[in-house]
Coordinates of all heavy atoms in Angstrom, one line a residue:
D68 N -28.6 52.6 -11.8 CA -28.5 51.8 -10.7 C -27.1 51.6 -10.3 O -26.4 51.0 -11.0 CB -29.3 50.4 -10.9 CG -29.2 49.5 -9.6 OD1 -28.8 50.0 -8.6 OD2 -29.6 48.4 -9.8
Y69 N -26.8 52.1 -9.1 CA -25.3 52.0 -8.6 C -25.2 50.9 -7.6 O -24.0 50.8 -7.0 CB -24.9 53.4 -8.0 CG -24.8 54.4 -9.0 CD1 -25.9 55.4 -9.1 CD2 -23.6 54.6 -9.7 CE1 -25.6 56.4 -10.0 CE2 -23.5 55.6 -10.7 CZ -24.6 56.5 -10.8 OH -24.4 57.4 -11.7
S70 N -26.2 50.0 -7.4 CA -26.1 49.0 -6.3 C -25.0 47.9 -6.6 O -24.3 47.5 -5.7 CB -27.5 48.3 -6.0 OG -27.9 47.7 -7.2
S71 N -24.8 47.6 -7.9 CA -23.8 46.7 -8.2 C -23.0 47.2 -9.4 O -22.7 46.5 -10.4 CB -24.4 45.3 -8.5 OG -25.3 45.4 -9.6
G72 N -22.5 48.4 -9.2 CA -21.8 49.1 -10.4 C -22.7 49.9 -11.1 O -24.0 49.6 -11.2
P73 N -22.4 50.9 -11.9 CA -23.4 51.7 -12.6 C -23.8 51.0 -13.8 O -23.2 50.6 -14.8 CB -22.3 52.8 -13.1 CG -21.0 52.4 -13.0 CD -20.9 51.3 -12.0
I74 N -25.2 50.8 -13.7 CA -26.0 50.2 -14.8 C -27.1 51.1 -15.2 O -27.9 51.5 -14.3 CB -26.6 48.8 -14.3 CG1 -25.4 47.8 -14.0 CG2 -27.4 48.1 -15.4 CD1 -25.9 46.5 -13.3
I75 N -27.1 51.5 -16.5 CA -28.2 52.3 -16.9 C -29.6 51.5 -16.9 O -29.6 50.5 -17.5 CB -27.9 52.8 -18.4 CG1 -26.7 53.7 -18.4 CG2 -29.2 53.5 -19.0 CD1 -26.3 54.1 -19.7
T76 N -30.5 52.1 -16.1 CA -31.8 51.2 -16.0 C -32.9 51.9 -16.9 O -34.0 51.3 -17.1 CB -32.3 51.3 -14.6 OG1 -32.4 52.6 -14.1 CG2 -31.3 50.3 -13.7
N77 N -32.7 53.2 -17.3 CA -33.8 53.9 -18.1 C -33.0 54.9 -19.0 O -32.3 55.7 -18.4 CB -34.8 54.5 -17.1 CG -35.9 55.0 -17.9 OD1 -36.1 54.7 -19.1 ND2 -36.9 55.6 -17.2
A78 N -33.2 54.9 -20.2 CA -32.7 55.9 -21.2 C -33.6 55.9 -22.4 O -34.5 54.9 -22.6 CB -31.3 55.4 -21.5
Y79 N -33.4 57.0 -23.2 CA -34.1 57.1 -24.5 C -33.2 57.7 -25.5 O -32.3 58.4 -25.1 CB -35.5 57.8 -24.3 CG -35.3 59.2 -23.8 CD1 -35.2 60.3 -24.7 CD2 -35.3 59.6 -22.5 CE1 -35.0 61.6 -24.4 CE2 -35.3 60.8 -22.0 CZ -35.1 61.9 -23.0 OH -34.9 63.2 -22.6
F80 N -33.6 57.5 -26.8 CA -32.9 58.1 -27.8 C -33.2 59.6 -27.9 O -34.2 60.0 -28.0 CB -33.1 57.4 -29.1 CG -32.5 56.0 -29.2 CD1 -33.5 54.9 -29.2 CD2 -31.2 55.6 -29.2 CE1 -33.0 53.6 -29.3 CE2 -30.8 54.4 -29.2 CZ -31.7 53.4 -29.3
E81 N -32.2 60.5 -27.9 CA -32.4 61.9 -27.9 C -33.0 62.3 -29.3 O -33.7 63.1 -29.3 CB -31.1 62.7 -27.7 CG -30.7 62.6 -26.1 CD -29.5 63.4 -26.0 OE1 -28.7 63.9 -27.0 OE2 -29.0 63.6 -24.8
K82 N -32.2 61.6 -30.3 CA -32.7 62.0 -31.7 C -32.3 60.8 -32.6 O -31.6 60.0 -32.1 CB -32.2 63.2 -32.3 CG -30.6 63.2 -32.3 CD -30.1 64.5 -32.7 CE -28.5 64.5 -32.7 NZ -28.0 65.7 -33.2
Q83 N -32.9 60.8 -33.7 CA -32.5 59.7 -34.7 C -31.1 59.8 -35.1 O -30.7 60.9 -35.4 CB -33.5 59.7 -35.8 CG -34.9 59.3 -35.6 CD -35.7 59.5 -36.7 OE1 -35.7 60.4 -37.5 NE2 -36.6 58.5 -37.0
S84 N -30.3 58.7 -35.1 CA -29.0 58.8 -35.6 C -29.0 58.9 -37.0 O -30.0 58.5 -37.7 CB -28.2 57.5 -35.0 OG -28.7 56.4 -35.6
T85 N -27.9 59.3 -37.5 CA -27.9 59.4 -39.0 C -27.3 58.2 -39.7 O -28.0 57.2 -39.8 CB -27.0 60.7 -39.4 OG1 -25.8 60.7 -38.8 CG2 -27.8 61.9 -39.1
T86 N -26.0 58.1 -39.8 CA -25.4 56.9 -40.4 C -24.4 56.3 -39.4 O -24.1 57.0 -38.5 CB -24.6 57.2 -41.7 OG1 -23.9 58.3 -41.5 CG2 -25.7 57.4 -42.9
D87 N -23.9 55.2 -39.7 CA -23.0 54.5 -38.8 C -21.6 55.0 -38.6 O -21.0 55.2 -37.5 CB -22.8 53.0 -39.1 CG -24.1 52.2 -38.9 OD1 -24.9 52.6 -38.0 OD2 -24.3 51.2 -39.6
Y88 N -21.0 55.4 -39.7 CA -19.6 55.8 -39.8 C -19.3 57.2 -40.6 O -20.1 57.5 -41.5 CB -18.8 54.8 -40.4 CG -18.8 53.5 -39.7 CD1 -19.7 52.5 -40.0 CD2 -17.8 53.2 -38.6 CE1 -19.7 51.4 -39.2 CE2 -17.8 52.1 -38.0 CZ -18.9 51.1 -38.3 OH -18.8 50.0 -37.5
N89 N -18.4 58.0 -40.2 CA -18.0 59.1 -41.0 C -16.6 59.3 -40.6 O -15.8 58.8 -39.9 CB -18.8 60.3 -40.7 CG -18.6 60.9 -39.2 OD1 -18.1 60.1 -38.3 ND2 -18.9 62.1 -39.0
G90 N -15.9 60.0 -41.7 CA -14.6 60.3 -41.5 C -13.9 61.1 -42.6 O -14.7 61.7 -43.4
V91 N -12.6 61.0 -42.9 CA -12.0 61.7 -44.0 C -10.8 60.9 -44.6 O -10.1 60.2 -43.8 CB -11.5 63.2 -43.4 CG1 -10.4 63.0 -42.4 CG2 -11.0 64.0 -44.5
Y92 N -10.8 61.0 -45.8 CA -9.6 60.4 -46.6 C -9.1 61.4 -47.6 O -9.9 61.8 -48.5 CB -10.1 59.1 -47.2 CG -9.1 58.6 -48.3 CD1 -8.0 58.0 -47.9 CD2 -9.4 58.7 -49.7 CE1 -7.0 57.6 -48.7 CE2 -8.5 58.2 -50.6 CZ -7.3 57.7 -50.1 OH -6.4 57.2 -51.0
N93 N -7.8 61.7 -47.6 CA -7.2 62.5 -48.6 C -8.0 63.8 -48.9 O -8.1 64.1 -50.1 CB -7.1 61.6 -49.9 CG -6.0 62.3 -50.8 OD1 -5.0 63.0 -50.3 ND2 -6.0 61.8 -52.0
G94 N -8.4 64.5 -47.8 CA -9.3 65.7 -47.9 C -10.8 65.5 -48.3 O -11.4 66.5 -48.5
R95 N -11.1 64.3 -48.5 CA -12.5 64.0 -48.7 C -13.3 63.5 -47.6 O -12.9 62.6 -46.9 CB -12.7 63.1 -50.0 CG -12.1 63.6 -51.3 CD -12.9 64.7 -51.9 NE -14.3 64.3 -52.2 CZ -14.6 63.7 -53.4 NH1 -13.8 63.4 -54.4 NH2 -15.9 63.4 -53.6
Y96 N -14.5 64.1 -47.4 CA -15.4 63.5 -46.3 C -16.0 62.2 -46.7 O -16.5 62.1 -47.9 CB -16.4 64.7 -46.0 CG -17.5 64.2 -45.0 CD1 -17.1 64.1 -43.7 CD2 -18.7 63.8 -45.3 CE1 -18.0 63.7 -42.7 CE2 -19.7 63.4 -44.4 CZ -19.3 63.3 -43.1 OH -20.2 62.9 -42.1
L97 N -16.0 61.3 -45.8 CA -16.7 59.9 -46.1 C -17.8 59.8 -45.1 O -17.8 60.2 -43.8 CB -15.7 58.9 -45.8 CG -14.3 58.8 -46.5 CD1 -13.5 57.8 -46.0 CD2 -14.5 58.8 -47.9
D98 N -18.9 59.2 -45.6 CA -20.1 59.0 -44.6 C -20.7 57.7 -45.2 O -21.0 57.7 -46.4 CB -21.1 60.2 -44.8 CG -22.0 60.2 -43.6 OD1 -22.7 59.2 -43.3 OD2 -21.9 61.3 -42.9
F99 N -20.9 56.8 -44.4 CA -21.6 55.5 -44.8 C -22.4 54.7 -43.7 O -22.2 55.0 -42.6 CB -20.5 54.5 -45.4 CG -19.5 54.0 -44.6 CD1 -19.7 52.6 -44.1 CD2 -18.3 54.6 -44.3 CE1 -18.7 52.1 -43.3 CE2 -17.4 54.1 -43.5 CZ -17.5 52.7 -43.0
E100 N -23.2 53.9 -44.3 CA -24.1 53.1 -43.4 C -23.7 51.7 -43.7 O -23.5 51.2 -44.8 CB -25.5 53.4 -43.7 CG -26.5 52.5 -42.9 CD -26.6 52.8 -41.5 OE1 -26.2 53.9 -41.1 OE2 -27.2 52.1 -40.7
A101 N -23.6 50.8 -42.6 CA -23.2 49.4 -42.8 C -24.5 48.6 -42.4 O -25.1 48.8 -41.3 CB -22.1 49.0 -41.8
K102 N -24.9 47.8 -43.2 CA -26.1 46.9 -43.1 C -25.7 45.3 -43.3 O -25.1 45.2 -44.3 CB -27.3 47.4 -44.1 CG -27.7 48.8 -43.8 CD -28.6 48.9 -42.7 CE -29.2 50.3 -42.5 NZ -29.8 50.4 -41.2
S103 N -26.4 44.6 -42.6 CA -26.3 43.2 -42.7 C -27.7 42.6 -42.8 O -28.6 42.9 -42.2 CB -25.6 42.5 -41.4 OG -25.5 41.1 -41.7
T104 N -27.8 41.7 -43.8 CA -29.1 41.0 -44.1 C -28.9 39.4 -44.1 O -27.7 39.0 -44.5 CB -29.8 41.4 -45.4 OG1 -31.0 40.8 -45.5 CG2 -29.0 41.1 -46.7
K105 N -29.9 38.7 -43.7 CA -29.9 37.2 -43.7 C -30.3 36.7 -45.0 O -30.2 35.6 -45.4 CB -30.7 36.6 -42.5 CG -30.2 37.0 -41.2 CD -31.1 36.4 -40.1 CE -32.3 37.2 -39.9 NZ -33.1 36.8 -38.9
K106 N -31.0 37.5 -45.7 CA -31.6 37.3 -47.0 C -30.5 37.0 -48.1 O -29.4 37.5 -48.0 CB -32.6 38.2 -47.6 CG -33.6 38.5 -46.6 CD -34.8 39.4 -47.2 CE -35.9 39.6 -46.3 NZ -36.7 38.4 -46.1
K107 N -30.8 36.0 -49.0 CA -29.8 35.6 -49.9 C -30.2 36.1 -51.3 O -29.2 36.2 -52.2 CB -29.9 34.0 -50.1 CG -29.4 33.3 -48.9 CD -29.5 31.7 -49.2 CE -29.1 31.0 -47.9 NZ -29.1 29.6 -48.1
T108 N -31.4 36.6 -51.6 CA -31.7 37.1 -52.9 C -31.9 38.6 -53.0 O -32.1 39.1 -54.2 CB -33.0 36.3 -53.4 OG1 -34.0 36.7 -52.4 CG2 -32.9 34.8 -53.4
S109 N -32.0 39.3 -51.9 CA -32.2 40.8 -52.0 C -31.9 41.4 -50.7 O -31.6 40.8 -49.6 CB -33.7 41.1 -52.3 OG -34.5 40.6 -51.1
F110 N -31.7 42.8 -50.8 CA -31.5 43.6 -49.6 C -32.6 44.5 -49.3 O -33.1 45.2 -50.2 CB -30.3 44.5 -49.8 CG -30.1 45.5 -48.7 CD1 -29.7 45.1 -47.5 CD2 -30.4 46.8 -48.9 CE1 -29.5 46.0 -46.4 CE2 -30.3 47.8 -47.9 CZ -29.8 47.3 -46.7
P111 N -33.4 44.3 -48.2 CA -34.7 45.0 -47.9 C -34.4 46.4 -47.6 O -33.6 46.8 -46.9 CB -35.2 44.2 -46.7 CG -34.4 43.0 -46.5 CD -33.1 43.2 -47.1
L112 N -35.2 47.2 -48.4 CA -35.1 48.7 -48.1 C -35.7 49.1 -46.8 O -35.4 50.3 -46.4 CB -35.7 49.4 -49.3 CG -35.0 49.3 -50.6 CD1 -35.9 49.9 -51.7 CD2 -33.7 49.9 -50.7
A113 N -36.4 48.3 -46.3 CA -36.9 48.6 -44.9 C -35.9 48.7 -43.8 O -36.1 49.3 -42.7 CB -37.9 47.5 -44.5
N114 N -34.6 48.2 -44.1 CA -33.5 48.3 -43.3 C -32.9 49.8 -43.3 O -32.1 50.0 -42.5 CB -32.4 47.3 -43.7 CG -32.7 45.9 -43.5 OD1 -33.6 45.5 -42.8 ND2 -31.8 45.0 -43.8
I115 N -33.3 50.5 -44.2 CA -32.9 51.9 -44.3 C -34.0 52.9 -43.9 O -35.1 52.8 -44.3 CB -32.4 52.4 -45.8 CG1 -31.4 51.2 -46.2 CG2 -31.9 53.6 -45.9 CD1 -31.1 51.3 -47.6
S116 N -33.6 53.9 -43.0 CA -34.5 54.9 -42.6 C -34.6 56.0 -43.6 O -33.6 56.4 -44.2 CB -34.2 55.3 -41.2 OG -34.2 54.4 -40.3
K117 N -35.8 56.7 -43.6 CA -35.9 58.0 -44.5 C -34.9 59.0 -43.9 O -34.3 59.7 -44.9 CB -37.4 58.5 -44.3 CG -37.6 59.7 -45.2 CD -37.6 59.4 -46.6 CE -38.1 60.8 -47.3 NZ -37.8 60.6 -48.7
H118 N -34.6 59.2 -42.7 CA -33.8 60.2 -42.3 C -32.3 60.0 -42.8 O -31.5 60.8 -42.9 CB -33.9 60.5 -40.8 CG -33.3 59.4 -40.0 ND1 -34.1 58.3 -39.6 CD2 -32.0 59.3 -39.4 CE1 -33.3 57.5 -38.8 NE2 -32.1 58.1 -38.7
Q119 N -31.9 58.6 -43.0 CA -30.7 58.2 -43.3 C -30.5 58.6 -44.8 O -29.5 59.1 -45.2 CB -30.4 56.7 -43.1 CG -30.2 56.4 -41.7 CD -30.1 54.9 -41.5 OE1 -30.7 54.1 -42.2 NE2 -29.4 54.5 -40.5
I120 N -31.6 58.3 -45.6 CA -31.5 58.7 -47.0 C -31.3 60.2 -47.1 O -30.6 60.7 -47.9 CB -32.9 58.3 -47.6 CG1 -32.9 56.8 -47.8 CG2 -33.0 58.9 -49.0 CD1 -31.8 56.1 -48.7
E121 N -32.1 61.1 -46.3 CA -32.0 62.6 -46.3 C -30.6 62.9 -46.0 O -30.0 63.9 -46.6 CB -33.0 63.2 -45.5 CG -34.5 63.0 -46.0 CD -34.7 63.5 -47.3 OE1 -34.1 64.5 -47.7 OE2 -35.4 62.8 -48.1
H122 N -30.0 62.3 -45.1 CA -28.6 62.7 -44.6 C -27.6 62.4 -45.8 O -26.8 63.4 -45.9 CB -28.3 61.8 -43.3 CG -26.9 62.0 -42.9 ND1 -26.4 63.2 -42.2 CD2 -25.8 61.2 -43.0 CE1 -25.1 63.0 -42.0 NE2 -24.7 61.8 -42.6
L123 N -27.8 61.3 -46.3 CA -26.8 60.9 -47.3 C -26.9 61.8 -48.6 O -26.0 62.1 -49.3 CB -26.9 59.4 -47.7 CG -26.4 58.5 -46.6 CD1 -26.9 57.1 -46.9 CD2 -24.9 58.5 -46.5
K124 N -28.2 62.2 -48.8 CA -28.3 63.2 -50.0 C -27.6 64.6 -49.6 O -27.1 65.1 -50.6 CB -29.8 63.5 -50.1 CG -30.6 62.4 -50.8 CD -32.1 62.4 -50.7 CE -32.7 63.5 -51.6 NZ -34.2 63.5 -51.4
Q125 N -27.6 64.9 -48.4 CA -26.9 66.2 -48.1 C -25.5 66.0 -48.2 O -24.7 66.9 -48.6 CB -27.3 66.6 -46.6 CG -28.7 67.1 -46.5 CD -28.9 68.3 -47.3 OE1 -28.1 69.3 -47.2 NE2 -30.0 68.4 -48.0
V126 N -24.9 64.8 -47.8 CA -23.5 64.5 -47.9 C -23.1 64.6 -49.4 O -22.0 65.2 -49.8 CB -23.2 63.1 -47.3 CG1 -21.7 62.7 -47.7 CG2 -23.4 63.0 -45.9
I127 N -23.9 63.9 -50.4 CA -23.6 64.0 -51.8 C -23.7 65.4 -52.2 O -22.8 65.9 -53.0 CB -24.5 63.1 -52.5 CG1 -24.3 61.6 -52.1 CG2 -24.5 63.3 -54.0 CD1 -25.4 60.6 -52.5
K128 N -24.6 66.2 -51.8 CA -24.8 67.6 -52.2 C -23.5 68.5 -52.0 O -23.1 69.3 -52.6 CB -26.0 68.2 -51.5 CG -26.2 69.7 -51.9 CD -27.5 70.2 -51.0 CE -27.5 71.7 -51.3 NZ -28.5 72.3 -50.4
H129 N -22.9 68.1 -50.8 CA -21.7 68.9 -50.4 C -20.3 68.2 -50.8 O -19.3 68.4 -50.2 CB -21.7 69.1 -48.9 CG -22.8 70.0 -48.4 ND1 -22.8 71.4 -48.7 CD2 -24.0 69.8 -48.0 CE1 -23.9 72.0 -48.2 NE2 -24.7 71.0 -47.8
K130 N -20.4 67.3 -51.9 CA -19.3 66.6 -52.4 C -18.6 65.7 -51.6 O -17.4 65.4 -51.8 CB -18.3 67.8 -52.9 CG -18.9 68.8 -53.8 CD -19.4 68.3 -55.2 CE -19.9 69.5 -56.0 NZ -20.7 69.0 -57.0
G131 N -19.3 65.1 -50.6 CA -18.7 64.0 -49.8 C -18.9 62.8 -50.5 O -19.7 62.6 -51.4
I132 N -18.3 61.7 -50.0 CA -18.4 60.4 -50.6 C -19.3 59.5 -49.6 O -18.9 59.4 -48.5 CB -17.0 59.6 -50.7 CG1 -16.1 60.5 -51.6 CG2 -17.2 58.2 -51.2 CD1 -14.6 60.0 -51.6
A133 N -20.5 59.2 -50.2 CA -21.5 58.6 -49.4 C -21.7 57.1 -50.0 O -21.8 57.0 -51.1 CB -22.8 59.4 -49.4
F134 N -21.8 56.2 -49.1 CA -22.0 54.8 -49.6 C -22.5 53.9 -48.5 O -22.8 54.2 -47.4 CB -20.6 54.3 -50.2 CG -19.5 54.3 -49.1 CD1 -19.2 53.2 -48.3 CD2 -18.8 55.4 -48.9 CE1 -18.1 53.1 -47.5 CE2 -17.7 55.4 -48.0 CZ -17.4 54.3 -47.3
F135 N -22.8 52.7 -49.0 CA -23.3 51.7 -48.0 C -22.4 50.4 -48.1 O -21.8 50.2 -49.1 CB -24.7 51.1 -48.4 CG -25.9 52.0 -48.1 CD1 -26.1 53.1 -48.9 CD2 -26.6 51.7 -47.1 CE1 -27.2 53.9 -48.6 CE2 -27.7 52.6 -46.6 CZ -28.0 53.7 -47.5
I136 N -22.1 49.8 -47.1 CA -21.5 48.5 -47.0 C -22.5 47.5 -46.5 O -23.0 47.6 -45.5 CB -20.1 48.5 -46.1 CG1 -19.1 49.5 -46.7 CG2 -19.6 47.1 -46.0 CD1 -17.8 49.6 -45.7
I137 N -22.8 46.5 -47.4 CA -23.9 45.7 -47.2 C -23.3 44.2 -47.1 O -22.6 43.7 -48.1 CB -24.9 45.7 -48.3 CG1 -25.5 47.1 -48.4 CG2 -26.0 44.8 -48.2 CD1 -26.5 47.5 -49.5
E138 N -23.7 43.6 -46.1 CA -23.3 42.1 -45.9 C -24.4 41.2 -46.1 O -25.5 41.4 -45.6 CB -22.7 42.0 -44.5 CG -22.3 40.5 -44.2 CD -22.1 40.2 -42.8 OE1 -22.9 40.6 -41.9 OE2 -21.1 39.5 -42.4
F139 N -24.2 40.2 -47.0 CA -25.2 39.1 -47.1 C -24.5 38.1 -46.3 O -23.8 37.2 -46.7 CB -25.4 38.7 -48.6 CG -26.0 39.7 -49.4 CD1 -25.3 40.7 -50.0 CD2 -27.4 39.5 -49.5 CE1 -26.1 41.6 -50.9 CE2 -28.1 40.6 -50.3 CZ -27.5 41.5 -51.0

Side-chain angles (χ1 to χ4, degrees):
D68 179 8
Y69 292 99
S70 60
S71 58
I74 297 171
I75 297 171
T76 56
N77 191 5
Y79 62 89
F80 295 110
E81 286 182 351
K82 59 181 180 177
Q83 291 177 317
S84 61
T85 50
T86 50
D87 291 329
Y88 297 91
N89 67 339
V91 63
Y92 166 71
N93 202 21
R95 295 289 299 274
Y96 176 73
L97 308 176
D98 203 301
F99 68 96
E100 179 71 11
K102 297 288 189 187
S103 181
T104 181
K105 296 179 281 184
K106 297 193 178 294
K107 296 180 182 179
T108 58
S109 66
F110 171 73
L112 291 172
N114 289 357
I115 305 169
S116 305
K117 177 71 175 167
H118 71 274
Q119 290 175 325
I120 292 292
E121 292 304 321
H122 172 77
L123 291 168
K124 282 166 74 174
Q125 289 297 312
V126 172
I127 294 166
K128 177 184 174 183
H129 293 286
K130 309 294 184 198
I132 299 172
F134 56 98
F135 284 80
I136 294 181
I137 299 172
E138 177 193 47
F139 288 89

